[in-house]
Amino acid sequence: MQEEWNEQLSERPSDKAPCMQTDGADAVGERTVESEDGARAERPAGWGRPVLSFVRRSGRLDARLQRAWDRYAGEYLLDVNAGEGSLDVRPGVTIDGGYVCRTWGNDNPLIVEIGTGQGENIVAAAAAHPDMNFLALEVYDPGVAHTMLLAGKQGLGNLRIAQVNAPELFKVMADGVVAEVWTYFPDPWPKMRHHKRRIVQPALAGEIRRALVPGGLWRIATDIEDYALHVHEVMDAMPGFENVGGLTVSLPTEHVGKGNADEAAGLPHADFVESPRFEGRVLTNFERKGLQAGRVIHDFAYRAV
C-alpha cells in the first residue's frame, strides 16, 4: 500500500518548472476578513461575520518544550506570520514552486497536514518518506513545540511548520503546488450552533482544490459520526472533487448536537461512500483513545479532477 502511494505521487501530472533558486518577493493572495481577536476567518471577504474553526487558547510551554522551541524554531518554523503572536499570513507571501524550492531545497511533492496536533503523524510520515516535503499547520504553541521536538530528534530536513490559520495559508498558495492535503480528526464542534466552525467548509475546499495538483487528494478522517455526515454534505457535491472511496457506510441523514448524539440511531439513515483507512496515517494516541471508546473511524479521500 505504501509503495502504491509513492508511485501515485510520483506519477501525478504537474505543471511545475524544475526547482530553481529564485529571489524576489511574491504576490500576495486574495483579500481576507480579520476577526476581532486578530485571527483570520474561513469565509471569503463579503460573507459577513467571520467564523473561526478554532478558539485560540494560551498554552504555557513546559521546560522541555521551551527548550525544543528555542533550539529548533529557526530550523522548522516558517517565517510567514504577520507579526509575533499573529495567526495572519504576512502580506507578500505566496507558497508557490519557487518558495518550495527555496524552503525545502527541492521540488519534491508537497504534503500539507491541517491541524497536526502533537505532530505524531506528520513526523512519522516525513521520516518514512524523505523524498517528499511536508508542511505541518498547527496554531497551538505546545503542539508546534512538540512537533519540533519530534522532528529535531530525528534530524528531519523535509518538514516545516506554519503557525497560521489554515484557510488563510491556502489563500496564498499557488495553483497546483500541493500533492496532498491531510485533515485528521479535526475539532468536531459538537454543539449545533457551532457546526459552522468546522474546518471542512466549501470556502476552504475551493482553495484546496485550486492548490492541489491534478489528481491530488484531500484525505480526511474523523471519529465523530455527525462530522462524517458534515463532510459528505460539503464534499460529495463539491465541484472539482471526486469521492474515490470504495466502502459503503450507513449514516443518519439528520444532524445531532452535543448532548443528543444518542438520538442518531433512531434517525433515518442512508448509504454513503467512504474510504479504507489510509495506511500512511500512523495510529496516534488520539485515534487509539477513540477506538478504545468504541468510536468508528470514518476515512475519506477526495481527488482533484
Side-chain angles (χ1 to χ4, degrees), residues 184 220-222 274-278 281 287 297-301:
Y184 299 142
I220 305 169
T222 181
E274 296 182 0
S275 297
R277 188 183 191 280
F278 175 46
R281 186 178 81 245
E287 184 175 356
I297 309 300
H298 298 265
D299 274 85
F300 310 83

Side-chain angles (χ1 to χ4, degrees), residues 288-299:
R288 187 179 293 110
K289 289 177 181 177
L291 292 170
Q292 291 171 348
R295 297 194 185 101
V296 175
I297 309 300
H298 298 265
D299 274 85

Side-chain angles (χ1 to χ4, degrees), residues 119-164:
E120 297 168 90
N121 181 71
I122 198 163
V123 169
H129 301 282
D131 56 338
M132 299 178 193
N133 297 326
F134 292 85
L135 175 56
L137 304 185
E138 179 55 53
V139 297
Y140 302 118
D141 291 350
V144 172
H146 196 263
T147 303
M148 292 178 190
L149 180 62
L150 294 179
K153 282 183 175 180
Q154 299 183 63
L156 299 180
N158 60 335
L159 172 66
R160 299 294 185 273
I161 304 166
Q163 193 176 20
V164 293

